[in-house]
Structures are given as C-alpha cells and as structure tokens.
Amino acid sequence: MAADPAAADASAGDLPAFPGDLPAFAVQLRRMHGEVGRVIQQYAARQNLHATDVQALAAILDAPEPMTPTRLRALLGLTSGAVTACVDRLERAGHVRRVREDSDRRVVHLYYAADARAAARTHFRPLADALRRAGADFDDHELAVALRFLTALNDALAQVPGEPVGR
C-alpha cells in the first residue's frame, strides 16, 4: 500500500477518492484483523480445529438461514472435497450437526451444536467485552455510522475476486 494518500488515490483508477486517511485506516484494519485472528487461532488450537474449521463455524453461525455444504463451499472458496472434510471434522468433534430436510432428503442443513456454541461463546466473550469497552466512548449515531462503514467495507471486500483456497 502506498504511504502517500494521493498516490493511493491515483492508483485507484476511476474509483472515488477516499475522504479519510487511507493508510491510517489500512493500518488499523490490519491491526484489528491480527488481534481477532490471534483469538481465533487460540480457539482453534484449544478445540483441535483447523483455521478453516473456525471460518466454517462462523459462517454457519452468521448465516441468515440454515447453511448448506454448497453455500459453505462458495463462502469459503473451497473445493467440494475440502468442505466435506471440514464438515466431517466439525461433526466428529461435536461442533455441527447435519440435518436432512424433511421435504427433500437430498438437502443437508448444517447447524452449530448447542454445546459447542456455548463453548465458543465463553471463549469469545473477551472480544464482546472489548467491543463494549471500545464502544462506550461513542454515542448511538457514531456507532451507527461505524457499523454502516464496516458493512459497506465487508460488502465491497466480498466483491474482490479470488482463487479457491482448496486447489
């Protein structure tokens, strides 16, 4: 990343200029990613999971509707074999349940197991506590703007092309 904001904006082509301090935002986002990643790695190690397994658990937890292996494959950018191996590991370890849909037995839904969810909640409580401490100095409007920015950033990041990791 360019250290000079003007250089960073110039390399963006036809994108709008970033109105803030782009390098400072990039540094803080990398720092946040590193801190959250550290806690996730600790959880993975304590649960004898792969980092991909923890990503799968988060995707299952955050899904607005029951997750399927096909959607999980697309979200994580894995091959079908890699997703099958991941779900097998998570099921054997008691983290997820596979449930066949009643109306179409070919459809499999993945659910985060209640006991495993409680263990994750306990492990990740310090992240929620840190969020509460950090947010205490901001009013509702400021937090709404921050949430809107993070949502827009995640939506934009989801559009960045990439190669499947399982290949």
Side-chain angles (χ1 to χ4, degrees):
M1 173 151 312
D4 176 22
D9 281 343
S11 68
D14 62 349
L15 294 175
F18 187 80
D21 183 346
L22 186 61
F25 268 86
V27 166
Q28 292 306 318
L29 287 169
R30 283 191 299 270
R31 184 174 165 213
M32 183 180 71
H33 181 265
E35 294 300 333
V36 171
R38 178 180 52 80
V39 176
I40 290 170
Q41 288 173 354
Q42 291 169 349
Y43 180 74
R46 286 187 182 135
Q47 297 293 318
N48 294 314
L49 299 173
H50 297 248
T52 302
D53 298 343
V54 179
Q55 286 181 306
L57 287 172
I60 293 165
L61 179 66
D62 294 343
E65 57 194 32
M67 182 61 71
T68 65
T70 301
R71 283 205 344 261
L72 187 61
R73 175 182 182 252
L75 279 171
L76 299 181
L78 298 174
T79 65
S80 58
V83 165
T84 298
C86 174
V87 173
D88 287 347
R89 283 191 305 270
L90 291 171
E91 187 176 43
R92 276 193 310 271
H95 289 277
V96 298
R97 294 180 302 111
R98 282 182 172 116
V99 177
R100 294 205 177 272
E101 191 175 275
D102 288 336
S103 61
D104 184 348
R105 303 288 295 156
R106 295 170 296 176
V107 177
V108 174
H109 290 144
L110 305 171
Y111 295 95
Y112 209 132
D115 290 346
R117 188 185 289 229
R121 190 175 299 120
T122 298
H123 179 85
F124 289 106
R125 182 168 321 255
L127 287 181
D129 294 346
L131 180 62
R132 285 184 186 93
R133 284 192 305 276
D137 291 335
F138 296 87
D139 64 32
D140 288 345
H141 175 74
E142 291 171 313
L143 291 173
V145 170
L147 180 59
R148 188 168 62 91
F149 173 75
L150 289 173
T151 301
L153 177 58
N154 282 323
D155 290 346
L157 289 171
Q159 299 304 312
V160 175
E163 296 293 321
V165 279
R167 292 201 169 149

